Each structure stands twice: as structure tokens, then as C-alpha cells.
């Protein structure tokens, strides 16, 4: 039952559902990914973010 809170990318409304009730857009998880200092792919994610 962890990570139930979701956020709509269009109207920035928080919800528990897979689709936003206000604009019917798909929602995403509102929680960041777990951080690990041993992450092998962190370099690639950071490069993609800042390109």
C-alpha cells in the first residue's frame, strides 16, 4: 500500500487514481525514485536530464 499518491501532469492535482478526475489525464507517481550510491545508471539519467 506504499506510494499511493499520484499527480496529474496537466493540472498538477494530487489524487489516488490512475486518471485525473478533473482533466482525465494519466497520472504519475508523486514520489521520487529511491537513491542508491551504487546506482550503475545514474550517470546516464543525469546526462539525459541535462541535455
Amino acid at each position: 500500500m506504499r506510494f499511493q499518491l499520484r499527480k496529474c501532469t496537466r493540472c498538477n492535482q494530487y489524487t489516488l487514481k490512475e486518471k485525473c478526475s478533473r482533466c482525465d489525464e494519466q497520472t504519475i507517481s508523486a514520489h521520487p525514485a529511491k537513491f542508491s550510491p551504487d546506482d550503475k545508471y545514474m550517470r546516464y539519467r543525469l546526462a539525459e536530464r541535462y541535455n
Side-chain angles (χ1 to χ4, degrees), residues 1-33:
M1 299 287 284
R2 291 182 59 199
F3 304 125
Q4 291 183 348
L5 189 62
R6 302 180 68 81
K7 184 177 181 182
C8 177
T9 56
R10 182 185 287 174
C11 64
N12 294 325
Q13 181 178 356
Y14 289 94
T15 183
L16 298 175
K17 299 180 180 179
E18 296 288 325
K19 283 197 168 194
C20 179
S21 59
R22 184 184 294 176
C23 64
D24 205 37
E25 184 75 18
Q26 194 73 16
T27 58
I28 60 170
S29 177
H31 304 281

